[in-house]
Amino acid sequence: MLFLDELPEFQRNVLEALREPLEAGRITISRAARQAEFPARFQLVAAMNPCPCGQRGNPRAACRCTPEAVLRYQGRISGPLADRLDLHVEVPAVPEAELVAPGAGEPSAVVAARVAEARARAVERQGKPNADLEPGEVERHCRASAAALERLQAVSAKLGWSARSFHRVLKIARSIADLSGEIDLTPAHVNEAVQYRRGLSLPA
Ligand SMILES: [Zn+2]
């Protein structure tokens, strides 16, 4: 796993160089007259603030950034790179009282077991995890109901998604269905998958 904290603080050319290994699972390094290819299949996790001061959207603190500064900051993540990040999750600031209270969530081991089961279901069905499905295989294994497809097409047209985004959302919906052990994709699965792409309305 590659974790990049403060994503917009990385040089743009460094971030753009990630596109090849993210897509192909390998990276080509060129030095003088020589070229070497290395395996580079990794899971990318990145974190960023909503604005340079980090307080935008926090009800308990004031953001001091101008709208231009916010746009410039978010714009450091290019559309094509954001497009390759499957899940965009907004994490609001947690009040101090909640931070010290005992967690009410599920233990990680329980979640990990559910994920392993969902992954096993995918591999049994199609011989590989959902993330590795080629476009033709997406059509075969991520079959959505007519209502679900209609919903996805409407969102895709509204947000101007690429074919890549469209297929990625179907694969995410497939994983959501696998997590609950369901065979067909329903509008609920598609809706949940779409929620994970909302952050993609980052300025171009
Ligand atoms: Zn701010």
Side-chain angles (χ1 to χ4, degrees), residues 51-56 63-65:
C51 66
C53 86
Q55 302 296 357
R56 191 165 176 260
C63 166
R64 302 180 309 271
C65 309

Side-chain angles (χ1 to χ4, degrees), residues 45-62:
V45 178
M48 68 183 279
N49 281 316
C51 66
C53 86
Q55 302 296 357
R56 191 165 176 260
N58 183 353
R60 287 173 305 280

Side-chain angles (χ1 to χ4, degrees), residues 85-165:
L85 300 170
D86 282 344
L87 309 177
H88 298 221
V89 183
E90 207 179 310
V91 187
V94 179
E96 289 75 9
E98 252 175 69
L99 272 180
V100 293
E106 283 180 290
S108 299
V110 173
V111 179
R114 192 162 62 235
V115 170
E117 235 173 80
R119 192 184 163 93
R121 268 187 207 113
V123 172
E124 192 182 321
R125 177 180 57 239
Q126 65 218 6
K128 52 170 86 167
N130 296 330
D132 295 345
L133 290 176
E134 306 288 340
E137 298 170 322
V138 169
E139 275 154 41
R140 183 146 22 103
H141 298 294
C142 307
R143 242 196 312 256
S145 67
L149 258 188
E150 210 171 283
R151 157 93 182 125
L152 188 54
Q153 275 156 353
V155 175
S156 173
K158 192 169 159 222
L159 299 179
W161 280 350
S162 63
R164 180 189 288 111
S165 283

